Amino acid sequence: LGPSSTKSTLPAESPAVLQSPAASSPSESVSLKATLPKALLSELDLSFQLLEQHLRPDQNAGGAPWELKTSVPDIEIWSSAIPGEKKRRLWKSRTVVSMACSPATLMDQLNDFKKRVQWDGSTIAAGATLQDFGDGVDLVRYLTAPQAGGAVTSREFVCIRGQREQLTSQGEGFVSVFISVTPDQLSCVPPAGKEIRGRVHAGSGTCCRPLGTTADGQALWEVFLVDNREID
């Protein structure tokens, strides 16, 4: 999940927040190692490793080359093959944005679904945090907005989201990853709704790095998005 180049407002008839159990507050969050299965913790670590490798300029984590698909001012989009996959491909984008905000504010704009749909409604229709596990890890559920004039309907995703700070030569940035989870993996995962439930594979996520400031003092951010999802 990353910033969209198109700003939009959530339509009035769309749900602003998914109906879901109330998320635990940070003060109520419990020990990450005590609540998440070892297998999920290992997959979370692997996802951070894969995302870092996907961010290489020449090839993805599987060694397949990145092919430039779009290059316009302030945004580039690449695609690459996924070993063993004939239909699905891996996508990566790089966007440069200027915002008068701190890293904490940018994280909040990306993670708080109520705020996210206000500026990214063309991508995200609704979302909610279901449970906070602490240590930058939570369980989220979100709906994508219909695409291609409605030809592609909304998809539902339920994911473990992990976030870590990343220090660069320009200052503090951060990395977020998403991994789909099922009720078999985690008992608090809700059953599928009426929408088709998609799957987010390990290595998908967002990387935000500071690039300095503009002439008028706004922070410059380099935002990478890596997307490896199944929507069927």
Side-chain angles (χ1 to χ4, degrees):
L1 286 174
S4 168
S5 58
T6 304
K7 296 184 179 180
S8 60
T9 303
L10 187 68
E13 65 272 19
S14 299
V17 181
L18 288 171
Q19 296 299 316
S20 59
S24 57
S25 66
S27 61
E28 297 172 330
S29 61
V30 289
S31 168
L32 182 62
K33 291 184 178 179
T35 54
L36 285 180
K38 244 181 212 184
L40 272 182
L41 290 173
S42 297
E43 191 172 357
L44 196 62
D45 287 336
L46 174 63
S47 193
F48 279 107
Q49 296 172 22
L50 290 175
L51 178 60
E52 187 64 31
Q53 293 173 26
H54 287 327
L55 294 177
R56 294 180 300 193
D58 55 343
Q59 60 185 21
N60 66 25
W66 286 111
E67 303 167 14
L68 185 63
K69 299 296 185 180
T70 300
S71 181
V72 296
D74 295 335
I75 184 167
E76 295 172 294
I77 299 174
W78 298 266
S79 177
S80 63
I82 301 174
E85 288 287 342
K86 293 183 178 180
K87 294 182 179 180
R88 196 174 82 253
R89 291 182 65 84
L90 189 66
W91 293 90
K92 177 174 72 172
S93 66
R94 176 186 180 271
T95 309
V96 176
V97 297
S98 57
M99 301 176 66
C101 69
S102 65
T105 300
L106 183 56
M107 281 191 284
D108 186 52
Q109 288 290 330
L110 288 169
N111 292 341
D112 187 326
F113 285 104
K114 289 183 180 179
K115 296 177 181 177
R116 179 71 179 263
V117 296
Q118 293 177 10
W119 57 267
D120 198 16
S122 64
T123 304
I124 303 295
T129 299
L130 305 183
Q131 186 165 339
D132 179 5
F133 297 104
D135 295 335
V137 177
D138 54 13
L139 178 69
V140 300
R141 181 184 180 204
Y142 65 93
L143 297 178
T144 58
Q147 302 295 315
V152 179
T153 59
S154 293
R155 295 295 191 266
E156 178 195 41
F157 295 91
V158 178
C159 301
I160 289 289
R161 176 174 62 183
Q163 189 161 275
R164 296 176 181 175
E165 293 182 356
Q166 185 182 70
L167 294 178
T168 72
S169 59
Q170 294 287 344
E172 180 186 337
F174 60 91
V175 180
S176 298
V177 296
F178 289 78
I179 312 168
S180 281
V181 287
T182 67
D184 291 338
Q185 294 174 291
L186 202 59
S187 61
C188 56
V189 172
K194 62 180 181 179
E195 295 84 6
I196 297 172
R197 180 169 289 185
R199 181 183 177 190
V200 180
H201 291 268
S204 298
T206 306
C207 177
C208 298
R209 299 170 177 167
L211 290 177
T213 57
T214 62
D216 58 359
Q218 292 197 77
L220 269 179
W221 289 94
E222 179 182 49
V223 181
F224 285 96
L225 167 66
V226 174
D227 190 359
N228 183 0
R229 288 184 294 179
E230 290 183 55
I231 63 172
D232 297 330

